Amino acid sequence: MPPLLTFVSRLSDGLPLVANTAPDFSQGVTQEHKNQAKDILRGLGGTGSSSAKMSIDTTNNLIFHYLVRDSLCYLTLTERSYPKRLAFLYLEEIADAFLESLANDYGDPGWREAIATTARPYAFIKFDLLIQRRRKDFVDPTSRQNTTKLNEDLADIQSIMRKNINEVLNRGEKLENVSNISNNLVAESKKFKWGAKKLTWQAMMNQYGPIVAAAVFVIFVLYMKFFW
């Protein structure tokens, strides 16, 4: 079977730019898988430590693969038996074609601004046809074309990290909790800083206030005596 589900998203926040489902081979793809894909993409945004490539096992003998490149994330869902190397070659071709089309439409670096400023999900859905064309080339892993691709590819897929979907999604929840704790600490730090400044000012007033008051009184007396 070919790649069953394909997403292209903005890395910073996981906003889906285009998505595609293989209509003739997607019987095993559930709404849960689609939700998991979106959760994975959202979890990558803002972590600052995303792996460039990763495989994530999920249910129904399926597995996610994702590729991070040029501030974009390319994710696909395949059967677990589908060659891992071929899945990443598919994502590489999607990335090449998508970036080429963006550069043709918006120029370089204009396409980066178009990606960064879009606020609407699936704003680049017209690229769905591009994904469909590329996916047809990867239907049969044993075809001569794909066998040649595998033989010519020298990438070391053994170094690509592999995790379970629950581990990835739980990590996202932990990262969100860490972010909330960090925000609370920043807020408390600001309160403490303001309190410290206030205490310092009060201490200076207590220490130097009487001296300043006495000096003002002496100056006033001298002024009244000699100049009034």
Side-chain angles (χ1 to χ4, degrees), residues 38-52:
K38 294 175 183 177
D39 288 339
I40 292 170
L41 296 172
R42 281 194 294 265
L44 292 174
T47 63
S49 58
S50 305
S51 299

Side-chain angles (χ1 to χ4, degrees), residues 193-204:
K193 188 175 181 180
W194 166 247
K197 287 183 177 180
K198 187 176 180 180
L199 289 174
T200 301
W201 174 252
Q202 290 177 346
M204 290 178 63

